[in-house]
Amino acid sequence: MSEMLQNSTRELPDKQYLFEIAVDTGNQIMATVVINSKNFVDYCSNSSPVNYIVHEHINVILSAAGVPKRSLLTTEEMVLSTFATIITLIVYFIVFGNSHVKKRYKLAQDLKQAQMQVHYLEEKLTLMAMEDPGKKDREEGGEIRIFMDGAFDMMHYGHMNAFRLGRSLGTHLVVGINSDASVRECKGEPLMNDQERLTMVEGCKFVDEVVPGCPYVMNKEYLDYVIKKYRIDYVIHGDDACIVDGKDVYAAAKESGKFQSIPRTEGVSTTDIIGRMLLMNKDHHYNGSNNGGSENDNSGSNNNRFMLLGQQSKFLTTSRMLRLFSAGVKAPTSDMKVIYIDGAFDMFHPGHVAILKEAKLRGDYLIVGVHGDAIVNRERGSNLPLMNLHERVLSVLGCRFVDDVLIDAPWNISHDVMASLKISEVVYGSRCDGFQNSTSDDERYKHVKEAGKLTVLKSPSDFSLGKILQRIQRNQAHFQSKFERKNKQEKEHFEQKYAQINGDKH
């Protein structure tokens, strides 16, 4: 016990000694800091820049403001205040700066999460807009089957939107296509034959089933046959009157209590498109970049006397319409083979549907690039494109073989484009629309060839926009007369419709 006390007694001086060393070291450090600080302050105070700033600027301003001479700023005070400010800011940053960084990071994360939530809700709203009112019946094992019919001659995105609206009223859309004979009898010679019109309707992603050879005017017997065979719940048509020889084409459907109308897609019609074709001018290129294209053509002077046919459009493209046509579009997964094809896709026709179907067979996911108006005009001339960029994008989005669309696609396909879209293969058809006035494909596909990703597909169809124009030109007098008659009818329809709407408001 006494030995332990003696040991502890010996330890006390050691601890005291260490403490004194620590204090001395601390004092020395503090003294060094103070001396160095004093030296630094003296150095700065005596420096020419500080003297110049204090005496030639600051004190001159203070004197002019009426500050007594004894209260003017000294160089030492200037240096000390600046030094104190810097130390304060450094200490503040060390103590609180990290906290602010964390808060900003958390706010950024919260904002990102909120944006994702908004995006999710927007997608949900879009899907709900397209969702079937009969969803509950379907979940319970039931169906609501919709029937629509028409000639669908020169089918366009307005027809596709009608199919989308019709299908939204049920769970299954059956579309009847009027036969050539019945269309000829009631409306005159169609531009496209039975098979061409069938190809277009079958290629629309909103259509579930197609019935060829339907009569243009459905009598009660044929309507009963369709309702029974295809288990139809509702017959749908646009809200514009459809009269032949003074009779309502849908009188039988209305009498059966199964008729429902949908709003017509305003701003587009087959009559309008034929009207654009009748305005075709072969004598010029429209050299402008302000009409839906990002690439300029400097090959000639800008002639504003001419207008692209696509600019004749009265259709108002909204982001909502683009979302509705894009509903269900999903990004490709990492294991998918992504195929890319681009073009004008002007006046979407059976040749386009055929090549897109062939391209889709090459992989799992098909991206279609649609060129801007300026690029199309530069390459094809005349006052093409017939339809503007937005109209052409909607037409391609409505095709069942297309998974996504690149809007205003670049003419030259670069390595960056292929990497960004994760493209496995770029394809194009052996035939074009017959208006090719293009620069060499060597430059256009240069990077694709270098990557070993280019494939030329044998075009499964010889149908082209040129073929449609030839048919119109052969019967120009007939189509001019038909255009004027239908244009007058459509104008009267919309005048009556809006007069009624305005009357209801008042």
Side-chain angles (χ1 to χ4, degrees), residues 16-229:
Q16 185 66 31
Y17 175 71
L18 291 173
F19 176 75
E20 289 173 357
I21 290 175
V23 171
D24 289 341
T25 303
N27 290 336
Q28 288 175 7
I29 293 171
M30 286 295 293
T32 303
V33 169
V34 170
I35 292 168
N36 288 335
S37 298
K38 183 67 170 67
N39 292 337
F40 178 74
V41 170
D42 290 342
Y43 172 77
C44 292
S45 300
N46 295 323
S47 67
S48 298
V50 173
N51 274 279
Y52 178 74
I53 291 169
V54 172
H55 296 301
E56 299 297 329
H57 290 281
I58 298 176
N59 283 342
V60 170
I61 295 170
L62 292 175
S63 296
V67 176
K69 190 174 181 179
R70 64 178 181 277
S71 300
L72 294 177
L73 190 67
T74 66
T75 55
E76 188 173 340
E77 288 171 343
M78 173 68 177
V79 171
L80 285 172
S81 60
T82 304
F83 191 59
T85 302
I86 293 171
I87 294 296
T88 301
L89 291 173
I90 291 171
V91 171
Y92 180 83
F93 179 77
I94 293 171
V95 176
F96 300 106
N98 195 38
S99 173
H100 287 307
V101 170
K102 287 181 179 177
K103 284 182 180 178
R104 283 196 297 270
Y105 178 75
K106 187 176 184 304
L107 285 172
Q109 291 297 107
D110 290 344
L111 178 62
K112 186 177 179 181
Q113 193 167 354
Q115 288 172 336
M116 290 176 65
Q117 183 70 12
V118 168
H119 179 71
Y120 167 76
L121 291 173
E122 284 180 342
E123 289 294 316
K124 198 169 182 181
L125 283 171
T126 300
L127 291 172
M128 285 175 67
M130 287 195 64
E131 204 170 66
D132 309 325
K135 182 178 179 181
K136 184 177 178 183
D137 293 333
R138 183 174 62 194
E139 288 174 346
E140 293 173 356
E143 263 191 331
I144 295 179
R145 296 173 68 87
I146 304 298
F147 180 78
M148 299 178 72
D149 77 316
F152 308 115
D153 198 17
M154 283 183 29
M155 197 177 105
H156 48 72
Y157 62 92
H159 295 129
M160 293 178 176
N161 192 47
F163 294 152
R164 182 190 66 78
L165 286 168
R167 196 182 188 285
S168 72
L169 298 175
T171 62
H172 190 89
L173 177 62
V174 181
V175 176
I177 303 174
N178 304 146
S179 67
D180 281 353
S182 67
V183 174
R184 191 179 299 112
E185 181 182 348
C186 298
K187 295 181 68 175
E189 189 70 34
L191 264 170
M192 296 187 182
N193 61 39
D194 280 337
Q195 185 55 51
E196 290 164 350
R197 292 183 289 117
L198 180 67
T199 297
M200 292 301 296
V201 177
E202 284 181 332
C204 180
K205 68 181 181 181
F206 304 115
V207 177
D208 298 300
E209 192 174 351
V210 175
V211 180
C214 290
Y216 191 83
V217 180
M218 290 188 295
N219 57 29
K220 187 176 184 306
E221 290 72 26
Y222 185 81
L223 179 65
D224 289 341
Y225 159 77
V226 168
I227 290 173
K228 183 177 180 181
K229 180 171 182 179

Side-chain angles (χ1 to χ4, degrees), residues 412-462:
N412 295 329
I413 305 169
S414 66
H415 288 296
D416 288 341
V417 170
M418 290 186 286
S420 178
L421 298 178
K422 300 179 175 61
I423 295 171
S424 306
E425 185 179 13
V426 175
V427 302
Y428 69 91
S430 56
R431 290 178 179 270
C432 67
D433 262 337
F435 290 89
Q436 201 72 8
N437 187 30
S438 167
T439 52
S440 173
D441 284 340
D442 290 340
E443 183 63 28
R444 173 160 152 66
Y445 293 111
K446 175 184 175 183
H447 301 296
V448 185
K449 290 176 180 177
E450 289 173 356
K453 294 183 176 182
L454 186 64
T455 301
V456 181
L457 300 180
K458 184 179 180 181
S459 297
S461 169
D462 63 352

Side-chain angles (χ1 to χ4, degrees), residues 303 305 369 470:
N303 192 338
R305 292 184 297 117
Q470 287 170 8

